[in-house]
Amino acid sequence: MAGSVNKVILVGNLGRDPEVRSSQGGQKVVSFGLATSETWNDRASGERRERTEWHRIVIFNERLGDVAERFLKKGRKVYLEGKLQTRKWTDQSGQEKYTTEIVLDRFGGDLVLLDTNHNNEGGQGREQGGGAPAGGDFGGMDDEIPFAPCFD
């Protein structure tokens, strides 16, 4: 098989309202934290258990960024498709750090609102990528990570 695939599909709930910023080039960047959870029954105790995983979502796609900015709020359930991207940055003390994000880039990605809109502005909605720039933050998990768009 020639080539490779980098595709992430998530269904989860927003940890807080999306954050909208602008890149150094003036492009919109929308970001938020998305929680995915799995539940199971513990074999030994029979108790119901749950594990939540937090994902950092960054949108560089203008159309999807506009949808996220307008309709996404803390707690909303969404389906999204993007790609996994890790970037390196240096913190204020000079230490190199890494962060891994799910990126909906300038010409790709998919975002589907799965629950009823809390503002009575409509119900389910689906937007697919293809367009110009947009995008970025995490659900309050790590406010130290600096904003730096990657267009590698």
Side-chain angles (χ1 to χ4, degrees):
M1 178 173 144
S4 60
V5 175
N6 180 353
K7 183 174 188 173
V8 176
I9 298 173
L10 297 174
V11 174
N13 297 86
L14 271 72
R16 69 180 190 193
D17 291 352
E19 183 173 326
V20 181
R21 300 181 183 178
S22 292
S23 70
Q24 293 171 345
Q27 299 166 326
K28 182 188 293 185
V29 178
V30 179
S31 61
F32 54 90
L34 189 74
T36 56
S37 299
E38 60 179 311
T39 58
W40 70 94
N41 289 325
D42 185 276
R43 288 185 189 181
S45 67
E47 291 180 35
R48 191 97 174 125
R49 302 278 182 162
E50 182 176 13
R51 177 177 31 237
T52 300
E53 195 71 38
W54 285 95
H55 312 275
R56 182 178 181 90
I57 311 300
V58 183
I59 304 174
F60 292 99
N61 179 300
E62 186 173 325
R63 284 184 33 211
L64 297 182
D66 289 344
V67 169
E69 180 180 13
R70 186 169 171 199
F71 296 106
L72 296 187
K73 301 287 180 214
K74 178 180 179 177
R76 296 256 359 225
K77 182 178 283 289
V78 298
Y79 165 98
L80 62 84
E81 292 181 15
K83 64 181 179 180
L84 203 58
Q85 186 171 305
T86 301
R87 63 181 168 92
K88 181 171 74 170
W89 54 281
T90 305
D91 70 9
Q92 293 177 347
S93 67
Q95 284 194 313
E96 288 185 347
K97 304 248 180 162
Y98 294 86
T99 187
T100 300
E101 303 161 327
I102 311 307
V103 175
L104 285 68
D105 64 19
R106 295 170 59 186
F107 303 105
D110 198 2
L111 179 64
V112 182
L113 312 179
L114 296 178
D115 58 0
T116 305
N117 190 331
H118 300 237
N119 297 335
N120 293 327
E121 294 182 21
Q124 279 190 341
R126 179 183 183 102
E127 281 293 331
Q128 288 187 317
D137 170 66
F138 195 32
M141 297 295 291
D142 192 347
D143 290 334
E144 282 187 27
I145 300 173
F147 170 72
C150 296
F151 295 103
D152 294 339

